[in-house]
Amino acid sequence: MNLHIIRAAGAGGACLLLVAPHVVLAQTAGTIAAEDKADNEVIVTAAKQNSTGIEIPNAPKARAVVTRDYIEHTVPGQSIFNAINMVPGVNYVASDPYGGNGGTIRIRGFDQSRIAFTFDGLPLNDAGNYAIYSSQQIDPELVESVNVSFGSTDVDTPTASASGGTVNYRTIMPTERPSATTVYSHGRGNMNRIFGMINTGDLNDSGTRAWVSASNQRYALFPYSFARKSQYNARVYQPLGAGKDFISLAGFFYQHRNGGYGNPSVAQINQALGSPFPVASATTGNPVRIDLTQQQYDRILKAGAFLNSPNCALASATPGAGTVQDDRTLCTNARTININPVDTGNLRFNSLFTLNDRLTFTIDGGYSYTLANGGGSTVFAESDANASKSGVSRNQYGRVGAGQASGRDLNGDGDLLDYVRVFYPSNTQTHRLIGIAGLRYDIDAGNLVRLTYTWDRARTRQTGEAGYLNPDGRPKSYFGISSDSDSAVLDAAGGVLNKRNRLTYSILHQLSGEYRGRPIDDSLSLTVGLRAAFYRRNMSNACYTIPNSGSEAYCTGQTARQVAADSRTAGFGPPYSGRIREYRAFLPNVGLVWQMDPAASLYASWNRGFSAPTTDIYSYDDKVISLKDKEAVPERTDAFDLGLRYTTGIVQAQLGGWFIRYDNRIVTTTAPLEGGGTISASRNVGRVESKGVDATLSVNPTPWLSLYGFGSYLKSTVKENIRNGATGAILIATEGKQLVDTPNWQYGTRAQITLPSLVLGISAKHVGDRFITDENDAISAGYTLVDLDAQIGLAAVGLPKTYFQLNVTNLFDRPYYSNVWSAPRVGNGGWLNFGNGRTVIGSVHFEF
């Protein structure tokens, strides 16, 4: 960032939109072009008034846009989703101050699997379970802006799961002049990060230009945790002629290695502190509030009871012959095996072609690849090489093959007496192709129609092949292994021990149409669209499914006849291939903006959304505890927004109310069974209704001072109890309860001072109480966090584009819980992630 440019731009810094309309963020090149044509004048007018970098476009839908004016003040290397945490209705919590251990995000009570995330128009959500991995995003230095749509989608949103809205971010374009940028950051936990980028400038007379970048970050916040991540990016941009036509090709590759740390349950926290919380007597009418003093917080962290054990090393590198070797029994949460390695990348293509003065063609496409492992380990008994030592588990059942030895010497000591811990990962490998083609016809200067077709095909392979651990406890391979690998753990039949073996093809065909214009007069803008989605899953499962175990698998070399003859495998679901699930959805949306006068406007919208069942829910589990249906059905939403906006040269304000009706909400958790016991399965909680009010206010009283504030109120209500699908008995009393991990209140503020050689900002956000359990008998206490940021320019020493940046997160070192994992009731669990203490990060930004 050039501080001299900030001074010159003042409150009008965002007027770059006039010459670079691509920063008016949407999803695809087609949507960007349509918004530029129909809405650009109003959006630019609003943006000129705001130098905070958080903008409210005058669009028919409830939206917010976060631009580089704000992004460049956030923590370098932190997830880009952290930049939208000051937007109404959004709550993003990071698992650590630097983003390497991920985080969670909710928008209006919807979790991240129900929000469509896109990156330069391409989908980011996992093709199987729609999860989003916040740590695996592009470096924030490369993001131009982030767009959030609350409870609604663009008509060409390429997704089968967007019932809760969209988050779309776009990367920066190469500059016409050559430049180079380097950023070095340092923080506690020996965090070191370096980022570098080179802009080539125009390479020829036709304007070809490009940038390339790389970054590396490493740290270890706790004694038994670590994070290492690297990424490489590039983009080539070619303008076509003197107009807006262009083609662009970009690439992204990210590699992540980490060792996580444990999360305590409510019961464990209570026990560690001497039971200060009356958990046993908690009820819906009298929920227990889990709140910690600073002393209690420090006591737990100092004890390290819930952090990883240091390692999983053998007591002896050479186990004694003829003895029961069980040195690794307690290594369930060791740093060396509680890992989440990732290799991921993509190629992205965007383009726009003007066919004539009224017809425009756009095409976006790309390929993405992901190989990820959830970590983990298990202990096998050598006397039964397909058995686990502990209790009833996925591997307890039966021998590997009839007529063969029932065990295998896993540690090489010559006997079958031992229990041996092995690495037992959950690997997922995905190859994904996508293409989006759009055609826009300009009826006249104020009206247009467009048609878009989307094709999205993902091939997802899920395996869980066991691998050996080194003597020091590290796995020999971070990812899956093959039968010819020396790290493979083989069963008695010579096959690799495996806990799952699935293959899924997920295919989306989507056709959408939209009208945007001013059909009556210039004061009324209308948008009408229809999205028709046709989604198909083709699934194969090479393993048996164990009854009453969720999706636990029994992978074996036995024939179907041998499995059927074994009394211990009675009722197992057989392997299959070619299981097809198809979903269709017709999703209309309507929105309008009435410009009542030059400063005031009214907006209103209705949007229908849906989320198809995930792979695990419908494809491999088929155990949905439902009110009406034996199997899962797609979730449906109707989202309504109504509000007022007010924009002048100093003030930008918005006040809006919203309502979302949510049918067939599916969640997966541990549920009690009648007669005792539990089952990890999916359940249909029926209808949920959410409503709320969002407000924002930006004020720029002088060119050097900007003030921003927001507030959100949300009330969610589950309309039905969770019942046993066969008997109708209540399993979980959810009727009238609120959604978990969803605060009623959020509000925050930011003030920024911009001086010739100093930019100083302070932000504060309050997150209200959140229920931890479905029955609302336990509450995670609310919290308020304050962050500080400062940029000091070095122009005085002859470096006009170089500055020092200071970020202090959680300035007052407030103890709090970040991520929350729910349970039916507090007696069944409920897990909490301890929030990040005060963290100081210093960075040097050098540019020429």
Side-chain angles (χ1 to χ4, degrees):
M1 181 189 66
N2 189 329
L3 295 177
H4 297 285
I5 292 177
I6 288 180
R7 292 203 316 275
C15 69
L16 291 173
L17 293 171
L18 290 169
V19 294
H22 61 272
V23 303
V24 182
L25 177 70
Q27 296 212 63
T28 63
T31 296
I32 294 171
E35 292 201 344
D36 179 35
K37 174 71 176 178
D39 302 323
N40 198 44
E41 292 182 5
V42 186
I43 294 175
V44 171
T45 300
K48 284 184 179 180
Q49 320 308 324
N50 184 14
S51 63
T52 63
I54 302 175
E55 302 167 0
I56 307 298
N58 201 22
K61 301 174 182 179
R63 266 189 176 169
V65 179
V66 178
T67 70
R68 286 220 55 78
D69 290 329
Y70 178 72
I71 295 170
E72 62 191 5
H73 294 282
T74 60
V75 175
Q78 178 60 270
S79 171
I80 188 59
F81 300 148
N82 184 59
I84 63 175
N85 196 35
M86 292 292 286
V87 169
V90 175
N91 188 32
Y92 173 75
V93 287
S95 296
D96 70 53
Y98 312 121
N101 286 295
T104 59
I105 184 172
R106 282 183 178 266
I107 298 179
R108 291 184 175 177
F110 288 88
D111 65 79
Q112 53 201 22
S113 68
R114 293 166 171 93
I115 303 164
F117 295 82
T118 64
F119 174 14
D120 284 343
L122 299 186
L124 285 168
N125 299 74
D126 185 275
N129 62 9
Y130 310 126
I132 189 70
Y133 304 101
S134 62
S135 63
Q136 300 173 23
Q137 308 309 309
I138 197 171
D139 287 320
E141 290 91 345
L142 303 175
V143 178
E144 184 66 52
S145 53
V146 189
N147 178 290
V148 182
S149 291
F150 306 97
S152 65
T153 64
D154 290 317
V155 74
D156 57 354
T157 299
T159 180
S161 180
S163 54
T166 61
V167 174
N168 320 305
Y169 67 83
R170 298 195 71 84
T171 52
I172 60 175
M173 301 296 285
T175 58
E176 296 180 3
R177 294 184 178 182
S179 64
T181 302
T182 300
V183 181
Y184 170 73
S185 302
H186 180 76
R188 72 179 176 94
N190 198 29
M191 190 281 290
N192 291 282
R193 177 181 183 265
I194 188 165
F195 166 86
M197 178 177 66
I198 296 175
N199 256 297
T200 66
D202 286 346
L203 296 172
N204 50 43
D205 293 339
S206 66
T208 305
R209 49 189 183 268
W211 56 256
V212 294
S213 75
S215 70
N216 180 270
Q217 184 175 27
R218 298 184 176 217
Y219 56 91
L221 281 169
F222 299 104
Y224 311 131
S225 70
F226 68 92
R228 301 191 300 267
K229 57 180 184 177
S230 301
Q231 66 171 274
Y232 309 90
N233 291 276
R235 185 167 193 170
V236 180
Y237 176 81
Q238 175 65 61
L240 303 175
K244 298 178 182 179
D245 294 7
F246 72 94
I247 56 174
S248 172
L249 180 64
F252 163 80
F253 178 75
Y254 174 87
Q255 189 173 71
H256 183 203
R257 302 291 184 265
N258 78 325
Y261 43 90
N263 302 303
S265 68
V266 173
Q268 288 173 323
I269 294 172
N270 206 33
Q271 182 180 8
L273 296 176
S275 301
F277 309 120
V279 171
S281 61
T283 64
T284 297
N286 185 32
V288 59
R289 191 170 189 268
I290 311 300
D291 196 2
L292 296 181
T293 65
Q294 186 70 55
Q295 184 180 13
Q296 290 172 325
Y297 185 85
D298 294 340
R299 177 180 169 186
I300 291 181
L301 288 184
K302 185 177 180 179
F306 309 114
L307 303 179
N308 289 342
S309 54
N311 56 56
C312 198
L314 287 164
S316 170
T318 56
T323 63
V324 175
Q325 179 64 33
D326 197 18
D327 294 336
R328 292 176 171 170
T329 300
L330 301 178
C331 295
T332 56
N333 206 27
R335 63 180 173 90
T336 51
I337 51 181
N338 187 25
I339 60 176
N340 184 211
V342 174
D343 289 339
T344 186
N346 64 52
L347 291 173
R348 312 180 304 280
F349 176 80
N350 305 102
S351 65
L352 184 147
F353 305 94
T354 302
L355 305 182
N356 57 44
D357 59 351
R358 293 195 176 191
L359 199 59
T360 303
F361 176 69
T362 60
I363 186 166
D364 301 85
Y367 162 78
S368 63
Y369 170 81
T370 300
L371 174 62
N373 162 32
S377 68
T378 193
V379 174
F380 283 99
E382 289 184 326
S383 58
D384 186 343
N386 206 36
S388 167
K389 177 185 178 183
S390 56
V392 177
S393 79
R394 64 175 66 90
N395 307 300
Q396 186 184 8
Y397 302 91
R399 292 184 297 276
V400 173
Q404 300 195 36
S406 62
R408 189 178 186 94
D409 182 8
L410 297 179
N411 61 9
D413 67 354
D415 61 50
L416 301 179
L417 303 176
D418 308 325
Y419 296 104
V420 179
R421 181 173 294 277
V422 301
F423 189 53
Y424 217 31
S426 298
N427 296 305
T428 299
Q429 184 184 66
T430 299
H431 297 270
R432 192 170 189 175
L433 290 168
I434 187 170
I436 306 171
L439 197 62
R440 187 191 85 206
Y441 179 74
D442 298 320
I443 301 170
D444 54 36
N447 299 274
L448 64 85
V449 293
R450 64 188 185 114
L451 187 68
T452 306
Y453 170 72
T454 298
W455 175 78
D456 181 3
R457 179 186 184 273
R459 180 189 186 275
T460 303
R461 178 76 186 279
Q462 295 177 295
T463 58
E465 298 165 311
Y468 280 108
L469 296 171
N470 287 310
D472 63 0
R474 294 180 297 106
K476 290 189 174 182
S477 171
Y478 273 113
F479 297 104
I481 43 76
S482 58
S483 59
D484 60 353
S485 170
D486 62 0
S487 66
V489 178
L490 305 181
D491 59 24
V496 179
L497 285 171
N498 199 354
K499 64 181 176 183
R500 64 179 188 177
N501 189 358
R502 309 168 178 172
L503 178 63
T504 302
Y505 292 91
S506 304
I507 303 168
L508 172 69
H509 295 277
Q510 180 174 284
L511 188 65
S512 59
E514 184 180 61
Y515 162 80
R516 294 181 181 224
R518 300 177 175 88
I520 301 174
D521 58 49
D522 289 343
S523 66
L524 182 66
S525 300
L526 179 66
T527 301
V528 180
L530 177 65
R531 182 161 66 102
F534 304 89
Y535 194 56
R536 173 188 175 100
R537 290 195 193 274
N538 186 336
M539 299 153 291
S540 300
N541 187 357
C543 299
Y544 289 80
T545 301
I546 300 174
N548 296 327
S549 67
S551 57
E552 299 290 331
Y554 172 63
C555 304
T556 177
Q558 291 176 288
T559 66
R561 179 176 297 178
Q562 290 168 337
V563 172
D566 192 331
S567 61
R568 291 171 294 182
T569 60
F572 280 25
Y576 58 81
S577 62
R579 175 180 289 184
I580 305 296
R581 294 291 184 267
E582 294 183 331
Y583 316 95
R584 298 180 180 181
F586 297 91
L587 309 169
N589 67 83
V590 179
L592 62 86
V593 176
W594 176 30
Q595 199 69 37
M596 296 179 290
D597 61 40
S601 63
L602 179 146
Y603 70 93
S605 68
W606 165 60
N607 189 94
R608 178 161 288 174
F610 98 114
S611 291
T614 66
T615 300
D616 286 338
I617 289 176
Y618 206 173
S619 312
Y620 305 115
D621 188 347
D622 272 352
K623 293 176 175 61
V624 179
I625 303 173
S626 175
L627 297 173
K628 306 177 181 67
D629 308 288
K630 182 179 179 181
E631 296 179 336
V633 295
E635 301 173 339
R636 305 276 181 173
T637 57
D638 287 280
F640 302 86
D641 278 273
L642 177 66
L644 292 169
R645 300 188 181 106
Y646 181 79
T647 304
T648 68
I650 296 177
V651 176
Q652 183 182 0
Q654 176 174 292
L655 176 65
W658 56 270
F659 173 80
I660 299 177
R661 193 181 78 168
Y662 188 175
D663 290 316
N664 298 313
R665 177 179 167 87
I666 306 297
V667 296
T668 302
T669 191
T670 301
L673 291 171
E674 292 184 71
T678 61
I679 180 174
S680 177
S682 307
R683 63 187 195 273
N684 183 336
V685 302
R687 175 173 294 180
V688 178
E689 292 184 355
S690 299
K691 55 188 175 183
V693 177
D694 296 332
T696 59
L697 175 64
S698 296
V699 182
N700 293 290
T702 71
W704 54 268
L705 176 64
S706 63
L707 303 172
Y708 168 79
F710 77 92
S712 295
Y713 173 77
L714 180 155
K715 179 64 180 296
S716 60
T717 306
V718 180
K719 294 296 185 179
E720 301 171 68
N721 291 313
I722 307 303
R723 298 179 181 272
N724 183 294
T727 67
I730 295 176
L731 295 177
I732 307 175
T734 53
E735 184 176 357
K737 307 303 190 300
Q738 296 190 53
L739 296 176
V740 298
D741 196 19
T742 303
N744 292 125
W745 287 98
Q746 294 187 80
Y747 46 84
T749 185
R750 176 174 172 81
Q752 180 174 307
I753 298 173
T754 304
L755 301 175
S757 296
L758 173 68
V759 180
L760 179 65
I762 187 165
S763 305
K765 179 177 179 179
H766 174 78
V767 177
D769 294 351
R770 294 168 291 166
F771 284 109
I772 303 170
T773 59
D774 295 320
E775 292 195 357
N776 293 179
D777 63 353
I779 294 173
S780 170
Y783 58 90
T784 301
L785 301 181
V786 178
D787 297 337
L788 178 72
D789 59 84
Q791 293 178 343
I792 303 172
L794 301 181
V797 295
L799 300 171
K801 295 184 178 181
T802 298
Y803 60 88
F804 173 75
Q805 179 166 318
L806 179 71
N807 291 90
V808 184
T809 61
N810 195 0
L811 179 65
F812 298 113
D813 205 21
R814 171 76 166 88
Y816 70 103
Y817 303 115
S818 53
N819 303 317
V820 173
W821 289 269
S822 66
R825 53 188 69 91
V826 71
N828 299 118
W831 283 261
L832 303 167
N833 190 55
F834 282 76
N836 308 308
R838 182 191 298 117
T839 304
V840 180
I841 306 104
S843 305
V844 176
H845 178 112
F846 177 77
E847 183 178 349
F848 66 86

